[in-house]
C-alpha cells in the first residue's frame, strides 16, 4: 500500500493565490521522496498540507489506508522536521525529544525510555542534559531527528532541514540522513530547492513549478530525460545549454547561425522550431582545427575545483558551455571547437513543453 496518496489537491490562499493546483501524487511505502523546485513553487505548502498544518481547499490526502484530509496534525502520525529545527530553548535535549510523547499522553517511564533510545540512535548520549543553546547546528539537527524518531511515525516530513548548515556539515548530514532513513525503513518526504541534495538523497523526486508537478521520476530519469525545458534547466549542477533553433536536415540544427549536430533518425521535420539541449558535461572541447566540430571563441572560464566551466561564443548572441578537466582549460579569447555528444542531445518543441528527442531515439510526443 502506498504510504501517501494525494488526489486532486488544491490550496488557494486568501486573495485568490493558488499555491497548489489539483495535484496528484503517490509516494510509496519506505521510499525517500524529494519535492524540488524554486522558491514559491508550492513544495513547502504541499508538505505542510500533508502534515495538516495547512488546510486543503479541495482534494484529499491519504496516509496508508486512512483519509486524513480532515484530521488535525497530531492525529496523522507523521513527524515534521523544520528548517530551524523548532527546539524548545528552555528544555534539555532529553525533554525536547520526549515532548511529542508527552503531548500524546504517553506514560513518563515509556517516554523516558523512548527518548533514551532515540538519543542513543543519533549519538546524543552525552548531550541529553544540555539545552539547544549549548549545541552546534549539526547537534541541534540530530535532536530534531531524534524527536521525530521517538514518535515512531508513519512518515517523516523534512522542510529543508539542511539549509542552515555550512557546506561541509551539510554533506555529512546528507549522508547520515540517507543512512538513517534506510535503517528505519520509514517513508520520508524531503523538501529542498537544492537539486544536488535531491539527486543525492531521493529514491524518486518531483519537480514543481507554480503549484504544479512538472515531472516525477528517479534522479537518473530526471537528469537524463527531463520532460520539459523547465525541468531540464532546473536539474543539474551546471546549467544545461538550452538553445532556440530550427531543424535544417536529418542531422543538423541551426542555432542563431551556428550549426549543431542532431542525433541520427531524430524524426523532426526540417524547418521545425525547436529548443536544442545538451549538458556542459557532454560537450567536448577541442582545438580550433577539429573537423566537423562547432568553432567558437572562449568568452570566460570558471573554476569548479576539479574541472572548469568554459563558456564559448559560437555565433552572435549564442553561447555554449562545456566542462573540461582541470589542467586542460583554455584561456579567454582562445579559438576552440565544440563537439556535442549526439547521444546526449535533447530536443524540445519550441515552447519547451514537449520532449521530442532523447539521444539516438525519438520519443512519442507527450504533453
Amino acid at each position: 500500500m502506498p504510504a501517501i496518496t494525494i488526489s486532486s489537491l488544491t490550496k488557494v490562499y486568501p486573495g485568490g493565490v493558488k499555491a497548489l493546483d489539483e495535484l496528484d501524487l503517490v509516494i510509496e511505502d519506505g521510499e525517500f521522496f524529494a519535492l524540488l523546485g524554486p522558491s514559491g513553487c508550492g513544495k513547502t505548502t504541499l508538505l505542510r498540507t500533508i502534515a495538516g498544518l495547512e488546510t486543503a481547499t479541495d482534494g484529499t490526502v491519504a496516509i496508508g489506508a486512512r483519509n486524513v484530509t480532515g484530521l488535525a496534525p497530531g492525529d496523522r502520525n507523521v513527524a515534521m522536521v523544520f528548517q530551524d529545527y523548532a527546539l524548545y530553548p528552555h528544555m534539555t535535549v532529553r525533554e525536547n525529544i520526549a515532548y511529542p510523547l508527552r503531548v500524546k499522553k504517553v506514560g513518563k517511564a515509556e517516554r523516558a525510555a523512548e527518548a533514551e533510545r532515540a538519543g542513543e540512535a543519533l549519538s546524543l548520549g552525552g548531550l541529553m542534559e544540555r539545552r539547544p543553546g549549548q549545541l552546534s547546528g549539526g547537534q541541534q539537527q540530530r535532536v530534531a531527528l531524534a524527536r521525530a524518531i521517538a514518535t515512531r511515525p508513519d512518515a517523516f516530513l523534512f522542510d529543508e532541514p539542511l539549509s542552515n548548515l555550512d557546506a561541509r556539515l551539510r554533506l555529512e548530514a546528507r549522508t547520515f540522513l540517507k543512512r538513517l532513513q534506510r535503517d528505519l525503513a520509514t517513508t520520508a518526504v524531503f523538501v529542498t530547492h537544492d537539486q544536488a541534495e535531491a539527486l543525492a538523497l531521493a529514491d524518486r523526486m518531483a519537480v514543481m513549478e507554480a503549484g504544479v508537478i512538472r515531472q516525477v521520476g528517479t534522479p537518473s530519469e530526471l537528469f537524463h530525460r527531463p520532460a520539459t525545458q523547465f525541468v531540464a534547466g532546473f536539474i543539474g549542477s551546471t546549467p544545461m545549454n538550452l538553445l532556440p533553433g530550427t531543424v535544417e536536415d536529418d542531422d543538423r540544427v541551426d542555432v542563431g547561425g551556428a550549426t549543431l549536430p542532431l542525433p541520427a533518425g531524430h524524426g523532426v521535420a526540417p524547418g521545425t522550431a525547436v529548443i536544442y539541449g545538451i549538458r556542459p558535461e557532454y560537450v567536448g572541447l577541442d582545438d580550433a582545427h577539429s573537423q566537423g566540430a562547432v568553432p567558437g571563441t572562449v568568452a570566460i572560464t570558471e573554476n569548479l575545483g576539479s574541472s572548469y566551466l568554459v563558456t564559448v561564443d559560437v555565433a552572435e548572441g549564442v553561447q555554449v558551455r562545456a566542462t573540461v578537466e582541470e589542467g586542460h582549460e583554455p584561456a579567454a579569447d582562445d579559438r576552440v571547437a565544440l563537439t556535442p555528444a549526439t547521444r546526449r542531445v535533447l530536443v524540445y518543441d519550441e515552447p519547451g513543453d514537449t520532449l521530442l528527442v532523447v539521444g539516438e531515439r525519438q520519443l512519442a510526443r507527450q504533453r
Side-chain angles (χ1 to χ4, degrees), residues 26-283:
V26 175
I27 298 171
E28 300 297 341
D29 184 37
E31 77 174 336
F32 201 120
F33 193 93
L35 296 172
L36 179 66
S39 297
C41 71
K43 57 188 184 296
T44 295
T45 300
L46 176 54
L47 192 76
R48 289 174 62 85
T49 306
I50 294 171
L53 300 175
E54 298 284 353
T55 303
T57 304
D58 199 5
T60 61
V61 176
I63 297 177
R66 295 192 305 153
N67 183 339
V68 302
T69 311
L71 296 184
D75 297 327
R76 298 191 179 202
N77 198 31
V78 297
M80 191 157 177
V81 178
F82 296 90
Q83 183 175 355
D84 61 359
Y85 312 134
L87 302 177
Y88 296 103
H90 64 286
M91 292 184 183
T92 65
V93 167
R94 187 187 310 279
E95 290 167 338
N96 266 284
I97 296 172
Y99 185 74
L101 299 174
R102 179 181 170 187
V103 172
K104 291 185 175 184
K105 302 189 185 305
V106 174
K108 185 175 181 179
E110 184 179 348
R111 66 176 185 255
E114 287 293 338
E116 196 67 31
R117 179 185 67 84
E120 287 296 331
L122 278 87
S123 303
L124 295 169
L127 306 174
M128 297 294 276
E129 301 308 320
R130 293 190 187 181
R131 286 181 167 77
Q134 299 171 300
L135 304 176
S136 68
Q139 290 168 336
Q140 289 183 38
Q141 183 207 47
R142 282 188 283 144
V143 175
L145 290 171
R147 183 175 59 187
I149 291 170
T151 62
R152 301 195 181 187
D154 291 329
F156 294 116
L157 308 178
F158 297 107
D159 186 12
E160 303 200 44
L162 310 184
S163 61
N164 289 335
L165 304 179
D166 62 50
R168 179 177 177 180
L169 192 55
R170 182 181 299 185
L171 184 61
E172 293 174 358
R174 194 170 77 188
T175 303
F176 173 80
L177 189 59
K178 181 67 172 178
R179 184 183 300 119
L180 176 66
Q181 188 268 339
R182 285 185 173 173
D183 290 345
L184 296 173
T186 303
T187 305
V189 185
F190 185 93
V191 160
T192 181
H193 63 273
D194 185 333
Q195 50 83 30
E197 212 164 75
L199 289 169
L201 286 169
D203 298 314
R204 288 193 308 142
M205 55 198 287
V207 176
M208 296 183 64
E209 179 191 21
V212 176
I213 293 176
R214 295 302 183 192
Q215 188 174 359
V216 177
T218 65
S220 180
E221 287 168 348
L222 268 66
F223 184 84
H224 292 293
R225 296 185 180 183
T228 68
Q229 179 187 351
F230 173 80
V231 177
F234 196 81
I235 297 292
S237 57
T238 53
M240 181 185 284
N241 296 294
L242 292 165
L243 309 169
T246 304
V247 175
E248 286 188 336
D249 50 36
D250 287 343
D251 60 358
R252 313 296 288 181
V253 61
D254 177 82
V255 177
T259 302
L260 302 178
L262 283 172
H266 56 78
V268 182
T272 302
V274 296
I275 295 171
Y276 182 96
I278 187 156
R279 297 193 182 280
E281 296 89 341
Y282 303 136
V283 179

Side-chain angles (χ1 to χ4, degrees), residues 258 260 284-289 293-301 309-322 329-338:
L260 302 178
L285 196 65
D286 300 309
D287 63 57
H289 305 293
V294 183
T297 303
V298 175
I300 192 170
T301 61
L309 180 65
V310 182
T311 301
V312 179
D313 292 323
V314 297
E316 183 69 30
V318 180
Q319 294 185 323
V320 177
R321 294 178 177 86
E329 69 277 4
D333 298 324
D334 280 359
R335 290 290 293 173
V336 294
L338 302 172

